[in-house]
Amino acid sequence: MDKFPSQRFSVAPMLDWTDRHCRYFHRQLTGSTLLYTEMVTTGAIIHGKGDYLAYSEEEHPIALQLGGSDPAALAQCARLAEQRGYDEINLNVGCPSDRVQNGRFGACLMAEAALVADCIKAMRDVVSIPVTVKTRIGIDEQDSYAFLCDFVQTVSTRGDCDTFIIHARKAWLSGLSPKENREIPPLDYDRVYQLKRDFPHLTMAINGGVKSLAEAKAHLQHMDGVMMGREAYQNPGLLAQVDPELFDPAAPAVDPVVVVRAMYPYIERELAKGTWLGHITRHMLGLFQGIPGARQWRRYLSENAHKPGADVRVLEAALQRVADNIPQEA
């Protein structure tokens, strides 16, 4: 099993956030964290004009999160993803947005456990890499513990699914926006802990509201893994401590200034392809959170990265705003 990515710590799939530039940046901060794509629909992969499976080799270990409910289409996409080298396929059964429901995927699928099982089984039958599920603890009025157990039991037995990532909130399918669904339904970590105790043979990671590595360690007393979302994105500097804190005490913590400069070759390659600097640096704004000069770093990047001709010199100038933290050249 060592060839498969560890669920011990991962960064959540986040629409419009965890694109390939974000993942490349996060990988400079942590070598062991499992990184997820944004959710990609089966229709986009099969019928879309762009390459929705593009990523850089440096991003491994990387999981593709799929949105869909047609077992045949999901199997086709899973096979393509494995051929492209992805380390895991994840089915989205947690997103509550209206456009997702209209496509009959996301959190509304919690009400159709047998269909989710069929989807997982169809993908498991055609790939050798792990196929996992990310779900909520319930939807609307279907939020009893028995409902959650029935869902996991059905998907794990009929679908041959052995790994679940559980967002410890239920989802309201109408009346709340996706943003509100990430904040208003209360977190229920104890319910997720109980689920792990009742299904000890399954691998389970917990997601929702995790804001520090200390909290992650506390969850790992009960769970196999922790998935961090918004905090990892808005305060990416904490990812520099993940490898020594959660994976290998001998692993070096990463200097954020070194990370910025490690991005330069990638940025130059992307600029040569026509990518705007700001499309990459928007993911880096929170890197120096809590460090003197962080606000000036953010402001300088925000004001200059979208200008025509902006290149790595903008980053170097922004680094001068946190100059006291830059290693002195010998």
Side-chain angles (χ1 to χ4, degrees), residues 232-246:
Y233 186 87
Q234 292 162 351
N235 182 19
L238 65 76
L239 295 177
Q241 299 294 329
V242 167
D243 289 2
E245 291 282 335
L246 298 181

Side-chain angles (χ1 to χ4, degrees), residues 171-183:
W172 286 102
L173 298 181
S174 59
L176 293 184
S177 69
K179 181 177 186 296
E180 290 169 330
N181 256 304
R182 291 191 296 269
E183 297 168 352

Side-chain angles (χ1 to χ4, degrees), residues 271 275-279 281 299-311 314:
L271 294 180
T275 302
W276 282 74
L277 179 65
H279 291 164
T281 57
R299 181 185 299 137
Y300 191 87
L301 282 185
S302 298
E303 291 175 353
N304 293 281
H306 289 279
K307 291 179 178 176
D311 57 20
V314 170

Side-chain angles (χ1 to χ4, degrees), residues 81-103:
E82 184 176 47
Q83 290 169 357
R84 292 289 290 271
Y86 278 88
D87 300 295
E88 176 193 311
I89 309 294
N90 176 264
L91 180 65
N92 183 319
V93 190
C95 182
S97 81
D98 291 339
R99 60 178 172 160
V100 165
Q101 290 179 61
N102 292 337

Side-chain angles (χ1 to χ4, degrees), residues 74-83 89 120-131:
L74 286 162
Q76 180 181 347
C77 292
R79 189 186 292 112
L80 289 171
E82 184 176 47
Q83 290 169 357
I89 309 294
I120 297 296
K121 186 70 166 63
M123 291 188 280
R124 293 268 298 185
D125 285 346
V126 297
V127 300
S128 59
I129 57 176
V131 180

